[in-house]
Amino acid sequence: MPDPSPFTVPTRFDGAPDRVAVVVPGVGYSPARPLLHFARSVLLQHGWTVQELWWQVPDDFSQFTVDDRIAWVERQVTQAIDTEAGACRLLVGKSLGSLACGIAADRNIAAAWLTPVLTIDHVARALQRAKAPTLLIGGSADKLWDSRIAESLRHDILEVPSADHAMELADDAAGSVDVLRQVVSRLDRFIGSLGCRQDRPDRS
C-alpha cells in the first residue's frame, strides 16, 4: 500500500486509549483554527487521545431549520462517540458544535463549549440538565452568547469582555492573542481538573 500523502491532514492523535476527546468544529471554524488547534494541544499535554471531526457542511445548510441543524450535528457527533466504544469522555465544541450539548447531557460526558449558541433554547435547556463537568467560554460582544443565561448555569464559565464570536477583539490583533491565551489557560485548568476521576459516560 502506498504511503499516505504528505499533505494529508491528521485527524487523530493518540494518547490514553480510555480517555478520548472528540473535537467538534463550527460552520467554518475547522480544528485547524486557533481555538481548536490549541485545545488539541492542551488535551495532548494532559495525555488524552484526540479525535477531530472535519465535516463538510451541506451546501443548503443555510436553509436548514434550527431542528434540522441540531439533528445534523447530533448525527455526526453520535457516530463519532459510538465509534469510540465508550472511551469518549469529553467533547470540545465550537459554535455549531454546541448543538450537540444535548448528547453530552444525556450521556453524562464532560464538555468544553467554545462560543456556544446560547440563544437557541435547545442549547440552553441541555446545559441546564448537564451534570458532567462543563466549561462555557464566550465573549460579551458575541451576539450568540447570552450573559444572563450563562450566569444562570452552574458551570465553569469564562466570559471575555468585548470578545466576538471568534473570541477576538475588533481591530486589536495583539489583544486577540491575549484573549487566546486566556482561553487556553482556562481550558488547561478545566481539562487538568478532569484527571482520571471522571465517571464513565452512559453508553446508552
Side-chain angles (χ1 to χ4, degrees):
M1 179 180 295
D3 292 336
S5 166
F7 302 108
T8 300
V9 176
T11 64
R12 190 174 185 87
F13 304 83
D14 290 330
D18 63 339
R19 285 192 295 142
V20 177
V22 173
V23 174
V24 190
V27 174
Y29 202 99
S30 78
R33 297 290 297 275
L35 294 172
L36 296 181
H37 168 80
F38 284 104
R40 181 232 297 166
S41 296
V42 171
L43 287 160
L44 293 176
Q45 287 177 1
H46 286 277
W48 288 71
T49 288
V50 180
Q51 177 62 60
E52 297 175 340
L53 299 188
W54 288 71
W55 55 32
Q56 183 65 47
V57 174
D59 292 338
D60 59 346
F61 194 72
S62 62
Q63 301 174 28
F64 281 23
T65 66
V66 171
D67 287 345
D68 288 340
R69 295 184 183 197
I70 293 169
W72 186 86
V73 170
E74 287 186 339
R75 282 196 299 272
Q76 317 303 313
V77 175
T78 295
Q79 181 178 4
I81 292 172
D82 290 347
T83 297
E84 302 300 336
C88 177
R89 301 174 65 186
L90 176 65
L91 297 179
V92 179
K94 172 73 172 78
S95 186
L96 179 69
S98 70
L99 300 190
C101 61
I103 296 174
D106 293 341
R107 298 198 181 198
N108 196 36
I109 297 174
W113 302 116
L114 312 177
T115 67
V117 188
L118 297 182
T119 54
I120 293 181
D121 288 343
H122 171 85
V123 173
R125 289 196 304 269
L127 290 172
Q128 286 175 345
R129 70 175 191 273
K131 296 181 180 180
T134 301
L135 171 64
L136 308 177
I137 295 179
S140 65
D142 180 2
K143 295 181 180 179
L144 301 181
W145 173 267
D146 188 313
S147 298
R148 180 185 56 82
I149 291 176
E151 292 172 359
S152 73
L153 300 168
R154 292 174 293 185
H155 297 310
D156 188 3
I157 296 171
L158 170 63
E159 180 179 296
V160 179
S162 302
D164 61 18
H165 192 59
M167 291 306 293
E168 298 178 3
L169 305 179
D171 302 318
D172 187 354
S176 296
V177 173
D178 289 337
V179 171
L180 178 60
R181 183 184 299 274
Q182 290 183 57
V183 173
V184 173
S185 178
R186 183 59 68 90
L187 279 169
D188 182 56
R189 188 186 346 169
F190 175 74
I191 293 168
S193 73
L194 297 179
C196 297
R197 301 187 304 275
Q198 191 181 318
D199 292 337
R200 290 285 183 176
D202 183 355
R203 298 176 62 179
S204 61

